[in-house]
Amino acid sequence: MFTLAPAASLRFDLDYHRFYLLSARGPWKDAGGKVLGFDPGGRSGTHVGDEVDFTVAFPLHKHLQILSGYSLFLPGQFARNTRGQDMQHFVYLQTLVDF
């Protein structure tokens, strides 16, 4: 993780994540429990992939903050074998309320 705050009201974050299965014969699931990939023979390895996240945060008010981000998922051996070689791109914008 790398953070840069050029001003009190602006923060840039860069994060790197590396994802693995707990077991070569286990399923890859999303946060909701949906199976994204599965190799019952266990021959696809355990490296699901790598993700790079870039976020920008800035406050609008004392209790209100905007967070914008971009994420890039690079498939590992398991993801390539079960889902294909395409990289995934995510862009998001969220509002954070602190009370």
Side-chain angles (χ1 to χ4, degrees):
M1 179 177 172
F2 175 77
T3 299
L4 177 65
S9 62
L10 185 63
R11 187 183 83 231
F12 298 96
D13 291 319
L14 180 66
D15 297 293
Y16 171 77
H17 308 276
R18 192 161 175 97
F19 299 107
Y20 287 91
L21 295 174
L22 290 175
S23 166
R25 294 178 184 209
W28 171 27
K29 296 180 180 181
D30 68 10
K34 178 183 173 188
V35 174
L36 300 175
F38 182 59
D39 177 5
R43 292 180 295 277
S44 293
T46 59
H47 180 219
V48 174
D50 302 292
E51 183 176 298
V52 179
D53 302 318
F54 177 73
T55 55
V56 178
F58 54 93
L60 293 178
H61 184 270
K62 181 180 177 184
H63 299 287
L64 182 63
Q65 186 179 46
I66 297 293
L67 181 70
S68 179
Y70 167 76
S71 299
L72 172 64
F73 178 76
L74 305 161
Q77 180 183 2
F78 180 84
R80 286 191 308 269
N81 289 342
T82 59
R83 303 262 313 184
Q85 297 191 30
D86 292 340
M87 295 184 291
Q88 301 296 312
H89 303 269
F90 307 92
V91 178
Y92 55 92
L93 179 68
Q94 69 185 57
T95 305
L96 303 170
V97 178
D98 180 25
F99 52 93

